[in-house]
Amino acid sequence: MQIMIKTEHLSKEYGGKKVVDDLDLQVNLQETFGFLGPNGAGKTTTIRMLTTLTKPTFGRVWINGFDGVKEPTKVKREFGIVQQHLSLNRELSVRENLDLHARLH
């Protein structure tokens, strides 16, 4: 079966606090996957790493075989996103945020 999403030891820290800790995940082609958990569980941070908006502190991400850190442009071609709320990415400039939202819409 073709692997569409894969993470190995995916971790993210902010100021020494681990918000995603050693996540191993695999989602195969044609599987339906729900990403559920309480507030503060690391769901948004994980999605941001899967979509190349945030770089992992440690670990690896592959989307349809493309490395999320080494091949972000190819990864971005592999998924679509619908945001619940419009928000600004503080890691991007104003121009980059405008460009991102224009491309998403």
Side-chain angles (χ1 to χ4, degrees):
M1 174 128 325
Q2 183 176 351
I3 299 170
M4 297 305 295
I5 300 171
K6 182 175 181 176
T7 70
E8 287 182 355
H9 306 292
L10 189 64
S11 301
K12 183 64 180 178
E13 292 182 8
Y14 290 108
K17 180 181 177 187
K18 283 190 175 180
V19 295
V20 176
D21 187 12
D22 200 34
L23 176 66
D24 289 333
L25 172 70
Q26 181 173 308
V27 180
N28 295 315
L29 180 66
Q30 297 183 345
E31 283 185 331
T32 300
F33 177 77
F35 206 52
L36 306 173
N39 290 345
K43 300 178 303 293
T44 298
T45 301
T46 300
I47 295 296
R48 290 178 60 83
M49 288 188 286
L50 293 174
T51 59
T52 76
L53 293 175
T54 297
K55 289 188 179 180
T57 303
F58 185 78
R60 303 199 48 203
V61 173
W62 293 271
I63 304 294
N64 197 18
F66 297 111
D67 187 299
V69 173
K70 295 178 182 176
E71 303 172 287
T73 302
K74 291 179 181 178
V75 167
K76 289 174 187 175
R77 291 182 186 136
E78 295 298 314
F79 63 83
I81 185 168
V82 178
Q83 296 180 350
Q84 183 175 357
H85 303 287
L86 287 178
S87 60
L88 297 178
N89 181 339
R90 296 181 188 268
E91 296 175 14
L92 300 177
S93 70
V94 173
R95 179 179 292 280
E96 290 169 329
N97 268 290
L98 290 171
D99 183 57
L100 172 65
H101 286 277
R103 290 173 186 261
L104 290 174
H105 291 284

